[in-house]
Amino acid sequence: MAQQVSQETNESQQNVAYTDAEDGPIPLSKLIGSGVTSADVKKLEEAGFFTVESVAFAPKKHLITIKGISEQKAEKICIEAAKLVPMGFTSGTDMLLKRSDLVLLKTGSEELDKLLGGGIETGSITELFGEFRTGKTQLCHTLAVTCQMPIDRGGGEGKCLYIDTEGTFRPERVEAIANRYELEGRLVLDNIAYARAYNTDHQTQLLIQAAGMMAESRYALIIVDSATALYRTDYSGRGELSARQMHLARFLRMLLRLADEFGVAVVITNQVVAQVDGAAVFAADPKKPIGGNIMAHASTTRLYLRKGRGETRICKIYDSPCLPEAEAMFAITAGGVADAKE
């Protein structure tokens, strides 16, 4: 029986292309006609726009900066894109129905899934922050496997895109987690698109490449581990604080656009800093996530991870639009994130 389930799951892991326009983003070729030529589409693709949604969500001033796109042409492209992508008002009932079909990615721990209302939400940004050795990267590795499983098994039936800024991705760890779910390790690794980011500009450039890849194949998850590490080294001192925050805001906005455009889950990890001001004396926990208000407003759900006893870790809902402030305990095992043993 386990062999049959494994075989069905492996089949679902194969490269999945969009077969129906309703199931995924609208290809840019749909804009051709009514004043928009194939040459215009090629210019948009070279600038990092691969779907009609990406054009519709972009401000007109960004389209004007593309070489060969005039203000009149940009206006025409925006009008045509708005015809294909619904961006007006809708009723609360329609939104409720839409959210009832939302895909949630299992974390590997039932207690953690219960805390999150079923799992990691697709179409939004989930931030994991905490000290070193609190399980942030281990949770990312587990999600990179579970997102490939069928939806009825708590997956997203899609590939994973992994941007690593700290050099902590370990393929052998992914294989061990895949074995726990009776999946073929090499197949799971084939469905993970991995890139190492070396500076903040490169980190942003990788998202443009990611948009092109996601327009061709089905992806369920984007992981950035960590989103803020390179910003701490590329920008230093108060003199560069404004430039750092603006760059970080653009990066996070691109991530949110990809979540909206392709309906993928976005998981980012964040580091913490110790508060050294007077308020730290009265705080129960003097550590706070870096990135300031820019990071706080960009993340839909913020999860605070801290160490427990032994291999156990504690996850707390730090901020969420719909989840109550609560905690759950999980463990890091040989097979990834799992429930803590009593």
Side-chain angles (χ1 to χ4, degrees):
M1 179 66 183
Q3 190 174 3
Q4 184 182 355
V5 171
S6 177
Q7 186 178 355
E8 289 174 0
T9 308
N10 285 341
E11 286 174 2
S12 75
Q13 287 176 272
Q14 300 295 333
N15 297 350
V16 185
Y18 291 116
T19 55
D20 188 0
E22 293 179 1
D23 295 334
I26 306 166
L28 212 53
S29 57
K30 293 283 186 182
L31 285 177
I32 296 174
S34 303
V36 182
T37 65
S38 56
D40 296 328
V41 168
K42 189 176 181 183
K43 289 169 189 171
L44 289 169
E45 288 176 344
E46 287 171 356
F49 296 93
F50 297 95
T51 65
V52 177
E53 285 87 351
S54 65
V55 174
F57 298 157
K60 192 172 72 172
K61 68 176 183 178
H62 286 184
L63 300 180
I64 296 170
T65 60
I66 300 169
K67 189 177 179 181
I69 301 291
S70 64
E71 189 170 348
Q72 291 78 12
K73 181 66 76 173
E75 182 73 36
K76 188 65 181 173
I77 290 169
C78 289
I79 291 169
E80 293 303 315
K83 290 177 182 176
L84 296 171
V85 181
M87 295 196 297
F89 287 98
T90 186
S91 70
T93 306
D94 289 340
M95 280 303 297
L96 182 64
L97 287 170
K98 189 178 177 182
R99 283 191 60 79
S100 67
D101 294 331
L102 203 66
V103 175
L104 299 170
L105 306 179
K106 299 290 184 185
T107 61
S109 163
E110 287 186 14
E111 286 299 311
L112 193 51
D113 290 337
K114 197 184 297 180
L115 177 76
L116 297 173
I120 299 292
E121 190 177 288
T122 54
S124 64
I125 297 177
T126 301
E127 176 195 347
L128 314 172
F129 71 89
E131 287 184 287
F132 64 95
R133 211 172 70 83
T134 53
K136 301 186 298 293
T137 298
Q138 296 302 316
L139 186 51
C140 288
H141 279 68
T142 305
L143 287 167
V145 175
T146 60
C147 76
Q148 300 182 34
M149 299 197 300
I151 290 173
D152 57 6
R153 287 188 64 193
E157 289 185 11
K159 298 180 184 181
C160 171
L161 198 141
Y162 201 115
I163 297 175
D164 181 11
T165 66
E166 298 178 329
T168 52
F169 177 75
R170 295 292 180 269
E172 55 271 27
R173 190 79 182 100
V174 172
E175 284 191 318
I177 297 167
N179 290 337
R180 168 190 169 187
Y181 290 101
E182 298 178 340
L183 305 175
E184 195 176 322
R186 290 302 167 93
L187 244 178
V188 170
L189 286 169
D190 283 344
N191 285 333
I192 297 176
Y194 170 82
R196 175 75 192 273
Y198 295 98
N199 58 63
T200 50
D201 289 334
H202 182 216
Q203 184 174 317
T204 304
Q205 188 64 33
L206 286 171
L207 289 190
I208 297 174
Q209 293 180 32
M213 294 163 63
M214 293 167 72
E216 294 174 2
S217 295
R218 179 181 170 85
Y219 282 79
L221 174 66
I222 300 174
I223 293 171
V224 186
D225 184 24
S226 119
T228 50
L230 295 175
Y231 285 93
R232 298 185 86 171
T233 53
D234 288 7
Y235 298 87
S236 58
R238 289 187 178 274
E240 292 187 298
L241 181 61
S242 176
R244 184 190 85 168
Q245 292 301 86
M246 284 299 296
H247 198 291
L248 178 61
R250 283 195 297 271
F251 176 75
L252 293 171
R253 181 67 193 89
M254 288 178 73
L255 275 176
L256 190 57
R257 195 190 81 184
L258 291 176
D260 288 335
E261 195 178 326
F262 298 99
V264 297
V266 176
V267 174
I268 59 176
T269 66
N270 192 7
Q271 299 176 349
V272 293
V273 64
Q275 289 179 272
V276 291
D277 55 6
V281 178
F282 305 101
D285 191 345
K287 293 176 288 294
K288 64 177 183 179
I290 66 170
N293 291 329
I294 295 286
M295 179 66 79
H297 291 304
S299 304
T300 310
T301 304
R302 308 187 85 189
L303 305 177
Y304 175 34
L305 306 182
R306 66 179 193 271
K307 301 179 187 111
R309 290 184 179 178
E311 292 302 310
T312 62
R313 304 289 185 269
I314 299 162
C315 175
K316 179 183 179 181
I317 303 286
Y318 191 79
D319 178 37
S320 170
C322 58
L323 300 172
E325 191 172 303
E327 292 183 350
M329 188 178 288
F330 65 94
I332 299 171
T333 67
V337 169
D339 285 326
K341 294 178 181 176
E342 295 296 332

